[in-house]
Amino acid sequence: MAEYRRLCEELAQNITAEDLEQLKCACKEDIPSEQSEAIATSHHWFTFLEQHGKLDKDDLSYIEHIFEISRRPDLLTMVVQYRTHVLKISEEDEVDTKLTRIPSAKKYK
């Protein structure tokens, strides 16, 4: 769990206020607008996603998808590294288990 928290903290440090607005916009189908307005920090965004089952230490596919459509390969790379090094999920396992929603995440490894 410590590695997961460290990942979230590192991601949060690399998300500016402008980035956060873009990420919330990418999540608009999953975050009602009144709740989206209340999310003021990236830490709060991660907490919201965790509370609503979109993010878990063992399942980062949702934020991988959001980072890709938001054109943030730097953040996506951090998540992919966590998945392959901490969770020990190889590219072959990804395909077999469909753990990631975006097969193109491999290109950021």
Side-chain angles (χ1 to χ4, degrees), residues 59-94:
D59 184 5
L60 305 161
S61 60
Y62 184 79
I63 62 170
E64 286 182 31
H65 175 70
I66 296 302
F67 291 155
E68 181 165 48
I69 64 175
S70 299
R71 295 186 175 89
R72 288 302 306 264
D74 56 327
L75 300 179
L76 180 57
T77 299
M78 289 183 221
V79 175
V80 170
Q81 287 175 341
Y82 170 87
R83 184 169 26 83
T84 55
H85 293 96
V86 176
L87 298 180
K88 307 280 190 236
I89 299 172
S90 68
E91 290 180 28
E92 294 78 26
D93 292 338
E94 287 175 18

Side-chain angles (χ1 to χ4, degrees), residues 35-72:
Q35 290 178 318
S36 181
E37 292 171 15
I39 298 173
T41 68
S42 53
H43 291 93
H44 189 195
W45 183 66
F46 285 120
T47 300
F48 179 90
L49 294 177
E50 288 170 343
Q51 291 171 344
H52 290 83
K54 298 291 184 187
L55 179 62
D56 184 79
K57 68 179 180 62
D58 297 323
D59 184 5
L60 305 161
S61 60
Y62 184 79
I63 62 170
E64 286 182 31
H65 175 70
I66 296 302
F67 291 155
E68 181 165 48
I69 64 175
S70 299
R71 295 186 175 89
R72 288 302 306 264

Side-chain angles (χ1 to χ4, degrees), residues 23-33 36 48 54 62 65-66 69 101:
L23 295 171
K24 289 190 315 185
C25 184
C27 298
K28 66 184 172 198
E29 293 178 9
D30 299 306
I31 304 176
S33 59
S36 181
F48 179 90
K54 298 291 184 187
Y62 184 79
H65 175 70
I66 296 302
I69 64 175
R101 289 170 37 178

